[in-house]
Amino acid sequence: MDQDHKKLKESPFPCEGLEKVLSFIDSHKDRSSASLVCKDWYDAERWTRSKLFIGNCYSVSPEIVARRFPKIKSVRLKGKPRFSDFNLLPQDWGANVHAWLVMFAKVYPSLEELRLKRMTVSDESLDLLARSFPGFKALSLSSCDGFTDEGLKAIATHCRTLTELDIADSVTVDIGGGWLSCFPEGFASLEILNFASLQCEVSFDALERLVSRCRALRVLKVNESINLEQLQRLLVQVPHLTGLGTGSFMQELTPRQYEGVQSAFSNCKNLQVLSGLWDATSLYLPLVYGACASLTFLNLSEADLRSGELAKFLPHCTSLRRLWVIDTVGDKGLEAVGLSCPLLEELRVFPIDPYDLDNRQGVTEVGFLAVSRGCPNLNYVLYFCRKMTNDAVATIVQNCPDFTHFRLCIMNPGEPDHLTNEPMDEAFGAVSKTCTKLRRLSVSGLLTDMAFEYIGKFAKNLETLSVAFAGSSDRGMQCVLEGCPKLRKLEIRDCLFGNAALLSGLDKYETMRSLWMSACNLTIKGCRLLAKEMPRLNVEVIQDEWSDETHANKVYVYRSLAGPRQDAPPFVLTLGGEDI
Amino acid sequence: MDCDLNLKATELRLGLPGTTDAISPPKNNKRSSPDSDSAPPPPKAQIVGWPPVRSYRKNNLAEAESGSFVKVSMDGAPYLRKIDLKVYNCYLELLEGLEKMFKLTIGEYSEREGYKGSEYAPAYEDKDGDLMLVGDVPWEMFKSSCKRLRIMKASDARGLGCAV
């Protein structure tokens, strides 16, 4: 035995060979596995990793990252818990990217890509970014905040090799549009430009000149300030676009202008993704028909179409795989989807009237059923409705058993099956049982512990679960924690789960990315107990107006190598298991 | 059909005992029709962050939350403006505001003939999605039902002024 061992040590696999092999591995999960084989592999892996993915910016520190990985070219970094999208996190909670950028500037001067989600990005940070990485190529800011056009100006001015600027759905109010004019006259490398969510007016002249210079431009998503006539002038420059986000459709066109715009769209033969379409009505929607033959993703979530308008539109989109609409299309519109989109894989239906101020009907189980009948490949759904039934959901998943993402939001909290008045437990039971590939689930409606028993029992591939206004006892949460081996993210709001439920997951939380619980029945004492038992978890309580000395209204628990946050604001209490 | 959430029976709570988290009222609390003269119904209490719709979907959300900002478009102009209806107390003030904002004149309103003597006429889209002439309904009703303003060429607005 010793002889063999000695032999192995004398003729190890040459590390250059190992590094070469590992350099082909992209997936960070695979790389993580490789790094655990032995020390040599760990070293080879860390020297060859060029793409970094950090799912929770507080799970690790810039210093730890810098020590381990010497050669990073691309970083994906995520910050705030998802419920911050819905204003559940106070301002200045954290997830500021600056400390990361300072480290990157020091250690990764060849950084080329930075993709941030739910992080706070200041103008100062954008300026630092723009000046620190001479070969920088791609910046993507998804659901970020904290910057103004000053920061964007720095990017436009200094990033000479920029190929991608994607502001995605980041919202900054009161932002000026001057940044677009800061791209130098010689700058021509842009391939992706998305500023659709920015509320600003850009200089159309500057935009037109930029587009005409950037011959490799393949994705262009403008904002609402660009009108149809201007859009035509842009399209004429770049008919080879694969992704287009239009501006506003609210413009009076003369017949001649109409023909011009229509012709420009018809020349776009390569379009796969279409979005924007603000204020598009039946009058001008047909303008885009000519561009839709190869469309795979149609995002109508800014155009409140009626059923008839959608029904007329869809037959032009024969290759459609992803469709986002507003519920003004109604069940009838969704019937048209079922008839016209046999290849559909993803459907998202957003509410025009989420607060029910106007008594709009929206969509019901009828529309969802119709889609499921016509679109057997459906694997991703996000569906906002006011009415649903258990039977319908059971039928839907029979028709479409391949769901990987099932997000159903019945908008009235605690709403039962509207025909039987029963809880919606059986619906989610059916989803859990039938959809064996299910990775993400959002539940809603009136739910007892039964729903969670089903989820714990059947949803063995579940990674992300979102729960609101549900459950009848601690047992519900416990079932999920004990039953779902692959659970990574659990976010819960307004449920009566308490300390017992929280503590039932003691062994679980280190295997997860994070747990969020707000407006539940947790106390500071219970959270302290968790912190004491599990020192490698950060157990954070966010103090707000609903908290007091005992009630922990917002609790965020996550594993971390970096210990308690150094940058926590005064209203974030990191519990350290001190005196209970 | 039960008209409340039947919370006690199912032992669900939407918040701590003793606290008064804002919750939405029972679902049969429909708004009174806009044609009635009764006072506008109380605004529905809203739960923070529910439904979970992204706040950048400002098209729908900002208007719902603030309730009084409306987009204003002018035929032929390349971009929209936004105004806060709360700021005005009557049609006269609104029209003066629009005239200033778009640098144009809007003619005299009459019930029978709509807007006379000007190139432009103000119209609006109401809750039902119909295009209406500004001035036809009482001011308070207009404020609560106006979703969007549109300054049209007077020639296009002719059909809107006809009393039914």
Side-chain angles (χ1 to χ4, degrees), chain A residues 153-316:
Chain A
K153 274 183 189 161
I155 299 288
T157 308
H158 300 294
C159 295
R160 297 305 166 99
T161 50
L162 200 67
T163 58
E164 176 177 344
L165 180 59
D166 186 342
I167 323 273
D169 34 25
S170 298
V171 178
T172 48
V173 288
D174 299 330
I175 192 174
W179 59 274
L180 191 84
S181 310
C182 289
F183 286 107
E185 281 304 314
F187 172 79
S189 49
L190 217 51
E191 296 171 26
I192 297 176
L193 178 62
N194 176 3
F195 62 97
S197 68
L198 292 188
Q199 303 269 314
C200 62
E201 277 161 33
V202 298
S203 151
F204 178 69
D205 251 353
L207 178 59
E208 195 177 17
R209 278 184 279 119
L210 179 66
V211 166
S212 71
R213 290 199 301 274
C214 298
R215 306 317 304 156
L217 196 68
R218 39 191 177 87
V219 175
L220 177 63
K221 296 186 184 176
V222 300
N223 69 4
E224 225 178 322
S225 72
I226 303 297
N227 69 21
L228 281 171
E229 208 187 327
Q230 292 169 326
L231 188 66
Q232 178 198 342
R233 286 163 62 175
L234 296 174
L235 287 179
V236 155
Q237 303 271 9
V238 281
H240 48 272
L241 285 179
T242 59
L244 172 67
T246 74
S248 167
F249 267 54
M250 185 179 276
Q251 182 186 7
E252 288 272 317
L253 294 176
T254 65
R256 190 143 172 261
Q257 283 172 323
Y258 187 100
E259 267 177 39
V261 176
Q262 188 175 46
S263 155
F265 272 107
S266 301
N267 279 335
C268 294
K269 306 275 183 220
N270 298 358
L271 216 55
Q272 290 164 19
V273 174
L274 180 62
S275 61
L277 300 165
W278 283 283
D279 308 313
T281 60
S282 49
L283 199 53
Y284 293 135
L285 205 51
L287 284 169
V288 309
Y289 289 173
C292 294
S294 16
L295 218 55
T296 56
F297 177 20
L298 178 59
N299 180 353
L300 294 170
S301 64
E302 300 289 348
D304 35 353
L305 303 187
R306 308 281 159 88
S307 61
E309 291 160 333
L310 185 65
K312 285 207 200 94
F313 193 159
L314 290 176
H316 295 271

Side-chain angles (χ1 to χ4, degrees), chain A residues 8-36:
Chain A
L8 273 172
K9 286 201 84 172
E10 276 163 3
S11 50
F13 191 78
C15 66
E16 296 85 12
L18 183 57
E19 285 186 9
K20 185 75 183 169
V21 169
L22 288 177
S23 64
F24 291 112
I25 301 182
D26 248 5
S27 143
H28 62 272
K29 287 194 185 120
D30 288 343
R31 281 186 158 270
S32 192
S33 305
S35 71
L36 294 173

Side-chain angles (χ1 to χ4, degrees), chain A residues 171 199 252 357 411 471 521, chain B residues 12-13 31 50 58 150:
Chain A
V171 178
Q199 303 269 314
E252 288 272 317
L357 298 174
M411 287 187 276
N521 256 355
Chain B
L12 285 181
R13 273 184 298 108
R31 303 185 83 187
W50 187 265
K58 43 141 202 90
R150 184 177 157 191

Side-chain angles (χ1 to χ4, degrees), chain A residues 414-577:
Chain A
E415 181 84 3
D417 178 318
H418 79 94
L419 289 180
T420 65
N421 233 23
E422 308 229 315
M424 293 299 296
D425 297 336
E426 294 306 311
F428 295 104
V431 174
S432 305
K433 264 183 243 163
T434 316
C435 304
T436 52
K437 302 182 202 156
L438 194 70
R439 299 202 314 264
R440 181 173 181 183
L441 180 64
S442 299
V443 299
S444 59
L446 181 64
L447 295 174
T448 71
D449 285 345
M450 198 66 227
F452 301 103
E453 279 183 40
Y454 284 136
I455 293 170
K457 190 161 176 211
F458 296 111
K460 293 305 178 185
N461 283 318
L462 194 63
E463 296 176 12
T464 305
L465 178 64
S466 307
V467 184
F469 305 103
S472 20
S473 78
D474 284 336
R475 188 175 144 60
M477 184 169 161
Q478 200 174 340
C479 285
V480 170
L481 289 169
E482 287 171 3
C484 298
K486 297 195 184 168
L487 195 65
R488 291 186 305 116
K489 286 179 282 185
L490 180 56
E491 43 184 35
I492 302 174
R493 63 165 292 173
D494 294 275
C495 298
L496 39 57
F497 306 131
N499 293 336
L502 178 70
L503 294 168
S504 70
L506 267 189
D507 296 327
K508 185 82 177 170
Y509 301 130
E510 270 188 16
T511 69
M512 290 168 54
R513 181 182 297 171
S514 64
L515 166 73
W516 169 280
M517 287 178 74
S518 58
C520 297
N521 256 355
L522 300 178
T523 67
I524 305 270
K525 214 167 173 180
C527 296
R528 277 227 171 87
L529 200 56
L530 174 63
K532 180 166 189 259
E533 293 297 316
M534 307 296 298
R536 284 186 305 208
L537 296 178
N538 279 355
V539 180
E540 294 174 0
V541 174
I542 297 166
Q543 313 276 57
D544 61 9
E545 65 267 30
W546 299 115
S547 332
D548 55 37
E549 314 83 60
T550 49
H551 173 60
N553 196 49
K554 286 179 181 156
V555 177
Y556 186 43
V557 178
Y558 57 92
R559 63 185 178 191
S560 178
L561 296 174
R565 279 176 61 180
Q566 302 293 318
D567 66 347
F571 53 80
V572 172
L573 196 64
T574 304
L575 298 179

